[in-house]
Amino acid sequence: MNIHYIGEHLVPGRIGQAAVWISFLAALLSAVFYYLRSRQEPDSSSRLRTAARSLFLVHAGSLLAVAGILYYLIFRHYFEYSYVWEYSSRSLPFRYIISCFWAGQEGSFLVWAIWQALIGVVLVFAARSWENRVLMVVSVSQVFVTSMMLGISLFGWKVGSSPFALLRDTYMGMKDSIFQHPDYLKMLTDGNGLNPLLENIWMTIHPPVLFLGYALALVPFAYALASLLKREYHAWIRPALTWTVLALTFLGAGILLGGAWAYVSLTFGGFWSWDPVENSSLVPWMTLVAGLHFLLIARKQHHALFASYLMIGLSYVLVLYASFLTRSGVLAETSAHSFGDSGMTGQLLVFLLAFLAFLVGMIVVRFRSFSEKMEDELLSKEFWMFIGSLLIVLAAFQVIFTTSIPVVNRVLGTSLAPPADSVSFYNRWQMPFVMLIAAFIAFSQFLNYRVNSGKEFFRKMMVPLLLSAAVTILFAVFRVVEAPGFLIFLFFLCFAGLSSLFNLLMGTGRPVNTGAVITHTGFALFALGVVITFSNSRIISTNTSRFDLGDTRKNAENLMLMRNDTLYMGPYYVAYVNNRTTGNLTEYEVDFLKYRSGKFSKEFSLYPSVNRNPRMGNVYNPDTRHFLWKDYYMYIAYAGTEPDYIVVKAIMNPNINVLWGGALLMLAGLAVAVFRRLRKQTVNNT
């Protein structure tokens, strides 16, 4: 029996789904016309190019229309739509309603598609002689991405998931449900709401910035394939360099914003936990770094073309692999960040394998045309850049292989176990790589391309080398860093940072690349902050109360606080003084006190909270107090329904500002490099 539902707002959803189809078909036709245009002579009629351009602009405009309609549905609280009901609610503040847009798979694919479309529009007017083949690759990628939003079944195979699907069509339990009633909307008064972990200001900017980085990684990939198709093996390097640095900048910014969110929202007391989803976004960034350096070598010496094609190409393939890992459900048991299996695993796999096969096939077919023998000169900048880039590739391989253990188990039927302590495992593996990369950064600062004088090289290197040794000794004497392994690591990081600064200030190499020097200095400072933080971070919430928490570990890491009781914790005394409940959120005030002249004085307060979400369980939100050289970080380990006591865990993280300062310096260096390249291209074009 058909039910005629009352009050549903079906028109905007139908318009939105029509816009999805228009964008998909326009991208497909644009790819076809760009391909046909690329087969013509350069001076032939441009009707095909005009048609391809027009279709791509229609594609981009349709995606913007899809986004506008989806936002309209979210802000109007039309809960008859599955996406709106699942990720929004009436009680959400405006800034978090914005985040609902990319909270689910359909929305995240839409953000990704929009970024790639807008970048494609820029390329329409900026790619010049490369337009036909570059936009053909971009259009093909857009065909795949927009197909993720079609929401149809083709021969029993699910193709995409529509952001405009109705809740009554996706809800499986129709019998005895509210959808048996024509006026069910009167009973559907509110939505499921956003995951409480996502109710954070960083989550309003982290996903779109990360997806912008993903989208930008497509452009150097497209230039690489276009050059192989055109048989022009060196001209592509110049434009690809600019887009590679842009991709590194925004992908790096997205990763750092995710780290900032993790630091203030999650309860592991840090900014990075080597979570599989975190790793899957880091690896393309690492291969882009390697690819950038291979491109620089290829531009200067016409060597390393094979490595350039491979790393630039694999970077976007790894972006697709990251999407596959996150959305296929394969990481559901090993990552808190992954989506469940939406039934699009096969579609994601086709997307990934198609681009990988095209890349590998073109490299194999053209290999004899661009391969050149490299003249090894041990004391040259390009040699050490090449070796350092290979180390980055090896480090990336270690990360992605371990991250992919669940995939290996599923494909091969094995039962390999992921590392039990992922932080210690990855740190132990990655530390030697970072140490050697830092050494190669230091060496390369004092070398020019081709032949160098050994005597001059060692003379330039001596001052930062001795200063690095002095800094390491001082850190050891004052016990800033105590572990011998961390001290050796510290020496190499100081060597890299001081060499970069020495090169910038003294001009030891000609010409000085300001962006590269700033980026390398930022890398050394960032890694230094990581070393100091990891080697000195300590739990200060040892249980000093009279209550036993049940086992040795809990007593060593947690403190029970009775209301208005004052106990010693680290360099302070702490007192749980109050709590306040607003909706599902209960916030607890813990004062940090100093004992002076026979009385306590309050230094600061922390406000960790518990979000008792009836649909998603309890979510524990930490609170942090930032100082210049240290952070105090606390979260609720246990809080009962009675407010008489709480159990807290507190961590003191030193020098977190050094870490973030280095990260911002890296991004600033990349931004300087982008600005210089864009300015140089503008001058050349005029």
Side-chain angles (χ1 to χ4, degrees):
M1 181 179 67
N2 293 327
I3 301 175
H4 298 284
Y5 293 102
I6 301 170
E8 289 183 328
H9 306 85
L10 301 181
V11 173
R14 288 170 179 169
I15 295 173
Q17 193 60 33
V20 170
W21 274 99
I22 291 171
S23 69
F24 171 76
L25 294 173
L28 179 62
L29 291 173
S30 180
V32 171
F33 282 119
Y34 269 123
Y35 170 74
L36 295 175
R37 179 68 180 98
S38 70
R39 305 288 292 179
Q40 292 182 333
E41 295 296 325
D43 56 351
S44 59
S45 173
S46 62
R47 290 180 180 177
L48 286 173
R49 187 179 66 177
T50 301
R53 282 182 170 183
S54 301
L55 285 163
F56 194 88
L57 294 175
V58 169
H59 162 74
S62 299
L63 284 176
L64 292 175
V66 173
I69 293 168
L70 184 57
Y71 260 132
Y72 172 78
L73 299 178
I74 291 172
F75 278 104
R76 296 290 293 179
H77 302 301
Y78 289 162
F79 296 123
E80 58 265 43
Y81 290 94
S82 179
Y83 196 87
V84 179
W85 177 84
E86 190 168 357
Y87 299 110
S88 72
S89 66
R90 297 183 185 277
S91 60
L92 277 178
F94 176 81
R95 61 185 181 277
Y96 298 143
I97 290 181
I98 292 176
S99 301
C100 296
F101 187 87
W102 45 78
Q105 294 204 51
E106 299 87 347
S108 60
F109 277 121
L110 180 54
V111 173
W112 188 4
I114 288 173
W115 280 131
Q116 288 193 166
L118 294 177
I119 291 167
V121 171
V122 173
L123 288 168
V124 164
F125 301 101
R128 299 177 180 268
S129 63
W130 293 95
E131 179 188 346
N132 296 325
R133 290 173 176 84
V134 167
L135 265 295
M136 179 186 71
V137 176
V138 172
S139 297
V140 171
S141 178
Q142 287 297 86
V143 170
F144 278 104
V145 177
T146 52
S147 73
M148 301 295 174
M149 297 176 286
L150 292 179
I152 61 171
S153 180
L154 190 63
F155 304 112
W157 186 37
K158 182 179 180 181
V159 180
S161 179
S162 172
F164 303 107
L166 293 170
L167 183 61
R168 57 180 167 86
D169 291 334
T170 58
Y171 185 77
M172 302 304 295
M174 282 292 292
K175 186 178 180 181
D176 298 327
S177 72
I178 62 172
F179 303 114
Q180 294 293 316
H181 303 276
D183 58 347
Y184 75 92
L185 283 175
K186 292 181 179 180
M187 295 175 273
L188 195 67
T189 57
D190 205 357
N192 190 51
L194 198 64
N195 187 324
L197 283 174
L198 304 182
E199 294 181 19
N200 182 280
I201 189 61
W202 295 113
M203 287 307 291
T204 62
I205 51 178
H206 157 60
V209 173
L210 186 71
F211 279 113
L212 176 56
Y214 282 173
L216 286 165
L218 170 62
V219 184
F221 172 87
Y223 271 102
L225 284 182
S227 77
L228 292 169
L229 291 167
K230 289 181 70 175
R231 301 175 187 265
E232 293 185 12
Y233 305 117
H234 300 290
W236 73 285
I237 294 174
R238 184 182 296 276
L241 276 170
T242 303
W243 288 101
T244 301
V245 178
L246 270 170
L248 280 169
T249 303
F250 284 97
L251 184 53
I255 293 169
L256 290 171
L257 289 168
W261 165 73
Y263 190 65
V264 299
S265 293
L266 303 182
T267 57
F268 61 87
F271 53 90
W272 191 263
S273 64
W274 293 104
D275 181 271
V277 172
E278 294 174 343
N279 296 348
S280 67
S281 62
L282 174 65
V283 171
W285 189 87
M286 296 172 72
T287 54
L288 275 173
V289 171
L292 173 65
H293 289 85
F294 288 136
L295 283 173
L296 291 171
I297 297 170
R299 182 190 64 172
K300 289 286 185 180
Q301 302 298 330
H302 285 187
H303 298 316
L305 272 172
F306 171 73
S308 299
Y309 281 121
L310 190 61
M311 285 302 104
I312 291 298
L314 282 180
S315 294
Y316 188 66
V317 172
L318 285 166
V319 164
L320 302 182
Y321 185 58
S323 181
F324 168 77
L325 287 177
T326 306
R327 292 167 174 80
S328 64
V330 71
L331 298 178
E333 296 181 1
T334 57
S335 174
H337 300 77
S338 68
F339 294 100
D341 187 357
S342 62
M344 294 189 293
T345 302
Q347 190 178 354
L348 289 165
L349 198 58
V350 169
F351 188 6
L352 166 66
L353 294 178
F355 273 65
L356 178 61
F358 192 32
L359 170 69
V360 173
M362 289 303 303
I363 291 176
V364 170
V365 169
R366 300 282 194 258
F367 180 74
R368 290 181 179 273
S369 301
F370 66 76
S371 61
E372 299 179 48
K373 181 176 175 56
M374 182 175 181
E375 299 176 3
D376 294 327
E377 180 64 44
L378 181 62
L379 205 62
S380 65
K381 192 181 191 73
E382 62 268 26
F383 177 81
W384 291 107
M385 283 176 62
F386 191 88
I387 298 300
S389 300
L390 285 180
L391 281 171
I392 296 172
V393 173
L394 289 174
F397 175 78
Q398 186 275 323
V399 175
I400 200 63
F401 177 79
T402 308
T403 301
S404 301
I405 285 176
V407 180
V408 173
N409 288 338
R410 181 172 294 187
V411 172
L412 301 180
T414 55
S415 55
L416 298 174
D421 184 353
S422 58
V423 173
S424 298
F425 176 83
Y426 283 105
N427 287 349
R428 187 168 60 252
W429 270 93
Q430 291 296 310
M431 188 180 294
F433 287 120
V434 176
M435 188 165 58
L436 289 172
I437 291 166
F440 295 150
I441 287 174
F443 294 159
S444 63
Q445 300 300 314
F446 308 107
L447 293 169
N448 297 315
Y449 288 97
R450 298 185 185 276
V451 182
N452 291 266
S453 165
K455 184 177 179 180
E456 184 70 11
F457 166 68
F458 286 109
R459 184 187 66 80
K460 293 175 180 177
M461 193 174 64
M462 196 54 62
V463 173
L465 191 67
L466 293 174
L467 284 174
S468 301
V471 170
T472 305
I473 292 170
L474 286 173
F475 271 62
V477 169
F478 289 100
R479 296 186 176 181
V480 178
V481 176
E482 299 185 41
F486 279 124
L487 284 170
I488 297 171
F489 195 33
L490 172 67
F491 167 76
F492 281 101
L493 293 176
C494 289
F495 189 26
L498 290 172
S499 296
S500 299
L501 287 174
F502 196 74
N503 187 20
L504 180 65
L505 298 175
M506 306 302 293
T508 56
R510 293 292 186 268
V512 176
N513 187 330
T514 307
V517 170
I518 294 173
T519 303
H520 290 151
T521 305
F523 166 78
L525 191 62
F526 174 79
L528 177 63
V530 172
V531 171
I532 295 173
T533 300
F534 274 113
S535 61
N536 290 279
S537 179
R538 63 189 182 92
I539 298 169
I540 59 174
S541 52
T542 302
N543 190 20
T544 57
S545 73
R546 61 185 181 275
F547 300 100
D548 183 18
L549 297 179
D551 60 53
T552 304
R553 181 174 179 178
K554 289 181 179 179
N555 284 317
E557 297 183 355
N558 299 281
L559 173 61
M560 177 181 283
L561 289 173
M562 303 296 293
R563 190 199 287 267
N564 297 321
D565 195 8
T566 302
L567 296 174
Y568 181 74
M569 187 174 74
Y572 295 96
Y573 288 87
V574 292
Y576 161 41
V577 296
N578 197 12
N579 67 80
R580 181 179 60 188
T581 299
T582 305
N584 296 329
L585 188 72
T586 302
E587 187 177 76
Y588 300 86
E589 179 182 351
V590 180
D591 291 345
F592 282 65
L593 315 167
K594 283 287 188 180
Y595 189 74
R596 301 186 183 94
S597 303
K599 63 179 182 179
F600 289 106
S601 60
K602 185 169 78 170
E603 299 292 306
F604 62 91
S605 298
L606 289 180
Y607 300 90
S609 61
V610 179
N611 189 325
R612 294 181 173 87
N613 192 291
R615 290 183 291 267
M616 304 180 192
N618 292 350
V619 174
Y620 299 91
N621 303 308
D623 192 26
T624 307
R625 179 60 183 260
H626 303 282
F627 292 95
L628 182 61
W629 296 111
K630 63 185 68 175
D631 287 357
Y632 288 94
Y633 175 100
M634 176 182 285
Y635 68 88
I636 303 295
Y638 175 79
T641 54
E642 297 296 327
D644 295 334
Y645 74 94
I646 55 175
V647 178
V648 299
K649 183 173 182 176
I651 301 170
M652 193 271 288
N653 285 324
N655 294 292
I656 203 77
N657 292 316
V658 174
L659 186 152
W660 293 119
L664 292 174
L665 200 60
M666 271 199 294
L667 293 179
L670 290 169
V672 169
V674 170
F675 175 76
R676 291 186 63 182
R677 293 202 62 79
L678 290 175
R679 186 177 65 177
K680 187 175 180 180
Q681 286 185 10
T682 303
V683 171
N684 291 337
N685 291 336
T686 56

